Amino acid sequence: MKYINIANTDLKASNIIMGNMRLPQLSLVEAEELIRTAMDEGINFFDHADIYGKGKSEEIFSEAIQMNASIREKMIIQSKCGIRSGFFDFSKEYIISSVDGILKRLNTEYLDILLLHRPDPLMDPAEVAEAFEELYTNGKVKYFGVSNHNPAQIELLQKYIPYKLVVNQLQFSIAHTPMIDSGIALNMNIDQSINRDSSVLEYCRLHDITMQAWSPYQHGFFEGSFLGDVEKYPELNQVIDTIAEKYGLTNTAIATAWITRHPANIQVVLGTTKVERMKDACKGSDIRLTREEWYSIYKAAGNIVP
């Protein structure tokens, strides 16, 4: 397992993260096996959100692992708030109440990182700053970040927040690459050249914000995995399978390694509930694909390298 230092924190984190969105699909015994497997494989970073299972994911996690002080100190725990039923809410009252609920469900006194889940157009950044100040002062949150935010949204928050935003969690996979597409096809009159993300990858690198890739094996917006989908992605799967055979690994490991190969040290958020897929993904943690392999996978996904 490869570990990275999250800039502007004291956190040494695995570059593979166990995401817990689907944990309610498992029994307590199955959930414990999955969490223990993650830890045995070297994962020390666990991602939650208060919206996952309407809080059930956090409850199951804590109960399955029998959370206590000795277990807690081995973990970096991150959760997210701001998504409510049909709308977003970055009000001070809601952020603070959300964190209190998260801590209770996780049976812990603090979060290592709190992320604002999706941008709230009605956000008052000064009010968010007040919420963060209270949470930090009371020892409930050590560090703060965002999820699915563009550079201008981050700048607006950072203008008011005295604490450095340290993480931005974004959708990124071989089959979902807006973060790099327009930079590769700069100034060309093709769809790939459209800048859809305001150069968020470069912005985060310039400002030492660690990026986390959610849905690392998905295409579209939860439309399914591209791995093994030879109907929609025949060439991509052929190329990935060929490279996987070379390294003696699975396609999941190679899809993971494609993301971790990027010099931005992007963390990969796993959403799997399968123990074996968890192990396969972790095997891609520190595999360094060659440039030729990395680009061949990118091109096989239907992208142009001019």
Side-chain angles (χ1 to χ4, degrees), residues 266-284:
I266 301 170
Q267 292 178 286
V268 180
V269 184
L270 304 180
T272 185
T273 57
K274 306 296 183 184
V275 167
E276 289 307 314
R277 194 165 199 186
M278 173 86 68
K279 292 179 179 179
D280 288 342
C282 289
K283 289 182 174 67

Side-chain angles (χ1 to χ4, degrees), residues 3 32 51 80 89 97 125 180-181 183 194-195 234 252 269 303 305:
Y3 296 88
E32 180 182 9
I51 196 68
K80 303 181 286 291
D89 190 347
S97 65
I180 59 176
D181 291 341
I194 299 172
N195 188 333
T252 300
V269 184
N303 301 300
V305 176

Side-chain angles (χ1 to χ4, degrees), residues 24-146:
Q25 298 175 10
L26 304 178
S27 67
L28 280 177
V29 172
E30 292 169 332
E32 180 182 9
E33 182 184 15
L34 191 67
I35 299 165
R36 298 286 183 190
T37 297
M39 296 178 75
D40 289 345
E41 293 295 317
I43 292 175
N44 70 348
F45 201 115
F46 299 85
D47 177 70
H48 296 270
D50 61 356
I51 196 68
Y52 294 164
K54 297 181 179 180
K56 192 68 177 175
S57 292
E58 292 162 335
E59 290 179 354
I60 292 172
F61 183 88
S62 174
E63 189 174 352
I65 203 70
Q66 298 179 327
M67 183 67 77
N68 56 55
S70 63
I71 291 174
R72 178 66 180 91
E73 68 182 11
K74 298 174 184 177
M75 296 178 166
I76 297 171
I77 297 182
Q78 167 181 284
S79 196
K80 303 181 286 291
C81 71
I83 298 179
R84 301 186 71 173
S85 182
F87 64 102
F88 304 143
D89 190 347
F90 284 2
S91 66
K92 176 183 177 181
E93 180 183 21
Y94 188 71
I95 291 172
I96 290 173
S97 65
S98 291
V99 171
D100 286 342
I102 290 166
L103 296 180
K104 182 178 181 180
R105 291 189 294 272
L106 286 172
N107 192 27
T108 184
E109 296 181 350
Y110 70 95
L111 289 176
D112 293 286
I113 305 175
L114 173 70
L115 305 184
L116 298 176
H117 206 157
R118 281 193 176 273
D120 175 13
L122 301 182
M123 172 192 72
D124 177 349
E127 188 176 356
V128 174
E130 290 178 7
F132 282 9
E133 176 68 22
E134 185 170 324
L135 292 169
Y136 180 82
T137 301
N138 291 334
K140 294 180 179 180
V141 178
K142 293 175 68 176
Y143 303 105
F144 301 91
V146 294

